[in-house]
Amino acid sequence: MKEKPDRLGWLKGGECNVVTEHRPRPCRFVLLGAPGVGKGTQAQLLAELFDSYHLSTGDILRAAKISPIDCRRSPVMAEAVSFMDAGQLVPDEVVLGLIAEREKYSHSGAGFLLDGFPRTVAQAVMLENLLGKLHVQLDAVLSYELPLEKIVARLSGRRTCPICKTVFHDQTRPPKQPGLCDDCGAELFHSEDDRAVRERMQAYETRTAPLADFYRSRDLFITISAEGTSEEIFERTLEALNGRAEAVAM
Ligand code: AP5
Ligand code: MG
């Protein structure tokens, strides 16, 4: 049977399976966009299609801090938690450390999706250096765009699985059984973080939006409207990637 990427494994950062079956060309994408625009949802859909690893720094940080799974904290995870406990932003070097300790995923034959990372130009430069050393190249940077009022509606209905991190929405993507994860049956939670959305939007504008120019200058940047249903956006994403057929073997 085909081996599936082990999401809990990379959350812990420990030993776990890496897909070795190679696609004709592994798909390596960065997903950009404001908090709540739907990056995680699109990453889930893309990861299913490409069998690739969905690496979300937000999920890693939350897992390090509050995970009910038996999470063996590496030194860099413990360092990240110490900043979060002090109410401070996790510094760029520490976030890069979290990615670097999961470096084996970058060699996966199926590729990877970086969701929520890089988040600053400094992180993008660090990522470029890290991937350069590993002789791995990004295929595309997908930037999802949506007006603020629609983002607020998406976040206020978001429900997340504390175990496998699958994302639902109580109106637009409800679980089969109310309040329970379709995949592992755990009780879904509504993150406190969602309520501070306007603050997060401001941080996004100042720290993350400048990444557009960084990736435009490397001819990797693709803008995708995040209007409509997740499935419509997914179709739009695949069309945009098809438009770059030279970079991605579909
Ligand atoms: P992170 O978890 O990355 O949060 P984020 O970037 O703010 O984005 P979200 O995960 O909130 O939203 P999303 O775009 O994934 O949307 P989703 O698919 O869930 O980071 C959290 C925090 O960690 C940060 O604030 C920061 O402090 C820290 N952090 C993370 N990375 C860091 C880094 N690199 N450096 C430093 N700090 C870092 O969708 C939202 C909802 O809408 C869901 O309910 C979904 O079901 C629903 N939905 C999705 N698509 C649609 C649609 N088309 N129509 C209707 N509903 C939809
Ligand atoms: Mg997310």
Side-chain angles (χ1 to χ4, degrees):
M1 210 173 79
K2 198 163 131 192
E3 218 181 347
K4 279 195 89 178
D6 169 8
R7 200 142 194 273
L8 290 182
W10 71 251
L11 273 178
K12 291 188 227 177
E15 286 307 309
C16 56
N17 76 328
V18 170
V19 170
T20 47
E21 185 184 312
H22 281 255
R23 295 180 57 81
R25 174 88 167 79
C27 299
R28 296 155 178 156
F29 305 132
V30 167
L31 283 78
L32 288 184
V37 74
K39 301 180 294 296
T41 304
Q42 293 305 311
Q44 275 171 216
L45 296 170
L46 287 164
E48 262 169 49
L49 181 69
F50 294 126
D51 292 330
S52 46
Y53 284 94
H54 171 194
L55 288 147
S56 154
T57 40
D59 285 349
I60 295 171
L61 292 171
R62 278 184 291 273
K65 194 166 159 55
I66 55 144
S67 179
I69 60 179
D70 178 24
C71 180
R72 206 172 19 131
R73 281 185 193 166
S74 64
V76 71
M77 285 172 99
E79 202 181 349
V81 171
S82 70
F83 283 101
M84 289 188 280
D85 285 347
Q88 293 168 10
L89 286 175
V90 180
D92 291 336
E93 301 73 32
V94 177
V95 180
L96 197 266
L98 293 171
I99 294 290
E101 73 177 1
R102 288 159 180 77
E103 144 207 318
K104 67 181 168 184
Y105 299 102
S106 62
H107 301 298
S108 139
F112 57 81
L113 299 146
L114 296 176
D115 163 12
F117 177 86
R119 220 176 184 88
T120 62
V121 171
Q123 289 183 14
V125 171
M126 291 175 186
L127 175 67
E128 196 167 67
N129 292 337
L130 176 72
L131 294 181
K133 278 185 207 144
L134 300 169
H135 306 290
V136 165
Q137 281 183 335
L138 290 176
D139 292 305
V141 173
L142 308 169
S143 177
Y144 293 95
E145 300 195 347
L146 193 70
L148 177 61
E149 63 278 14
K150 293 190 179 172
I151 288 180
V152 172
R154 282 187 189 176
L155 283 178
S156 61
R158 174 163 65 178
R159 300 291 178 268
T160 309
C161 174
I163 307 290
C164 69
K165 314 298 170 196
T166 302
V167 174
F168 300 88
H169 191 280
D170 57 9
Q171 306 287 312
T172 60
R173 206 177 181 82
K176 291 185 187 116
Q177 284 197 53
L180 299 181
C181 178
D182 289 354
D183 289 337
C184 53
E187 198 171 326
L188 303 175
F189 74 94
H190 179 237
S191 161
E192 287 294 321
D193 212 17
D194 290 357
R195 293 170 201 146
V197 59
R198 283 172 205 278
E199 236 171 75
R200 289 208 285 148
M201 286 298 292
Q202 259 180 357
Y204 171 78
E205 285 301 328
T206 42
R207 303 179 75 220
T208 310
L211 279 176
D213 284 340
F214 180 88
Y215 283 120
R216 241 183 232 115
S217 72
R218 281 146 179 83
D219 197 26
L220 288 170
F221 193 73
I222 302 177
T223 306
I224 298 168
S225 161
E227 299 271 2
T229 65
S230 324
E231 289 71 22
E232 286 166 348
I233 301 162
F234 186 52
E235 281 302 310
R236 225 172 271 146
T237 302
L238 296 183
E239 277 167 27
L241 290 174
N242 262 327
R244 286 177 68 99
E246 80 285 358
V248 182
M250 303 288 289

